[in-house]
Amino acid sequence: MRMILKRKNKKHNILLLILLILTSVIILSLIFINYYSNKAYPILKSYAESETKKLTVLIINKAITKQLYDIDVEELFKITYNKDGEIILIDFDTKKTSKALSTMTSLVELNLRAVEEGKIDMLELPENSLSNYNMELLSKKIICEIPFGLTTGSSLLSNIGPKIPVKISLIGDVSTNFSTEVVEYGINNALLKVLVNISVTTRVILPISTEDLNIS
């Protein structure tokens, strides 16, 4: 009878010990994951935002560059001369500028939506504009993958660990407008610069969070 009780107590103690060890491991793991997540998140967020901004600006610049080939900039202005043939007033041609801005806005939105939805074949950009990007990833709606080892801060471990996908989403409308800047050019001359200003808000999507990013 005593032998049976001893065996039962021994088994009970072993089970308690195993349960205690498992509970301790789980608690320590949760503490470690929480600590490391808090440490890693700002690094992942910064890298993801940087990559998203870089790609968005590239798409905008390439889209506008392509569109500008079809625009005669001088036609965007109404120029008024005095009797001596000197320019006294330069103003935008409202109809032509509105049409140009509308086309640019649509082109930028089209390309950003195409990347967001992984429809790479719908991109309207100059050839090889995205040659530095993995087209297979882009077709899966992923703009880049961040190695988790990057969060260690070690160059030796930066490419180690699971890959964290980064996605992009266009929020709201793309805002575009023209502006001008006049600078001195030689003697008694001025250079008129025509600037295209574009503002877009994108959402950076990570598996653990999302962040909105305004890019101008």
Side-chain angles (χ1 to χ4, degrees):
M1 189 70 178
R2 289 180 179 177
M3 287 292 292
I4 293 173
L5 287 174
K6 283 183 179 179
R7 285 180 181 177
K8 284 185 177 180
N9 288 334
K10 188 175 182 180
K11 287 182 179 179
H12 181 69
N13 290 336
I14 292 174
L15 288 173
L16 284 176
L17 180 60
I18 293 174
L19 183 61
L20 180 62
I21 292 173
L22 287 174
T23 303
S24 300
V25 169
I26 292 172
I27 292 173
L28 290 173
S29 297
L30 290 174
I31 292 173
F32 174 78
I33 291 172
N34 183 62
Y35 167 78
Y36 199 75
S37 294
N38 291 333
K39 179 183 176 182
Y41 176 67
I43 299 173
L44 295 174
K45 176 184 172 222
S46 176
Y47 189 91
E49 288 182 350
S50 175
E51 289 299 309
T52 300
K53 183 174 182 179
K54 183 167 69 175
L55 178 60
T56 303
V57 170
L58 174 64
I59 289 174
I60 290 173
N61 286 340
K62 294 296 182 180
I64 297 307
T65 299
K66 181 179 180 181
Q67 180 60 26
L68 286 177
Y69 281 121
D70 300 324
I71 296 177
D72 184 347
V73 177
E74 292 184 4
E75 292 183 356
L76 299 176
F77 297 97
K78 290 180 178 178
I79 303 176
T80 305
Y81 300 87
N82 63 15
K83 62 181 180 179
D84 297 320
E86 298 172 335
I87 296 174
I88 58 174
L89 178 65
I90 298 178
D91 196 11
F92 283 114
D93 185 313
T94 305
K95 185 176 180 179
K96 291 181 179 179
T97 53
S98 296
K99 181 180 178 181
L101 288 174
S102 176
T103 304
M104 288 182 186
T105 301
S106 297
L107 190 58
V108 172
E109 287 182 348
L110 171 68
N111 284 284
L112 289 176
R113 292 289 184 197
V115 171
E116 176 186 348
E117 297 171 5
K119 298 177 180 178
I120 307 305
D121 57 327
M122 291 182 61
L123 287 171
E124 292 191 16
L125 298 172
E127 190 176 354
N128 298 323
S129 296
L130 301 177
S131 58
N132 293 328
Y133 287 85
N134 187 322
M135 302 307 288
E136 184 179 347
L137 284 180
L138 289 178
S139 66
K140 296 177 181 177
K141 309 178 186 179
I142 299 172
I143 65 172
C144 70
E145 290 182 323
I146 309 174
F148 196 76
L150 190 71
T151 61
T152 63
S154 170
S155 57
L156 294 175
L157 303 176
S158 61
N159 289 317
I160 297 176
K163 305 286 187 180
I164 300 171
V166 179
K167 297 184 178 183
I168 184 176
S169 177
L170 180 62
I171 303 175
D173 299 323
V174 175
S175 172
T176 58
N177 63 75
F178 281 117
S179 66
T180 57
E181 180 182 330
V182 180
V183 295
E184 291 186 5
Y185 186 73
I187 301 174
N188 296 326
N189 289 295
L191 176 66
L192 177 65
K193 292 184 178 180
V194 182
L195 309 174
V196 182
N197 305 308
I198 298 180
S199 178
V200 57
T201 301
T202 56
R203 177 163 291 164
V204 185
I205 304 173
L206 290 166
I208 54 176
S209 69
T210 59
E211 294 286 338
D212 292 349
L213 184 64
N214 184 265
I215 300 170
S216 298

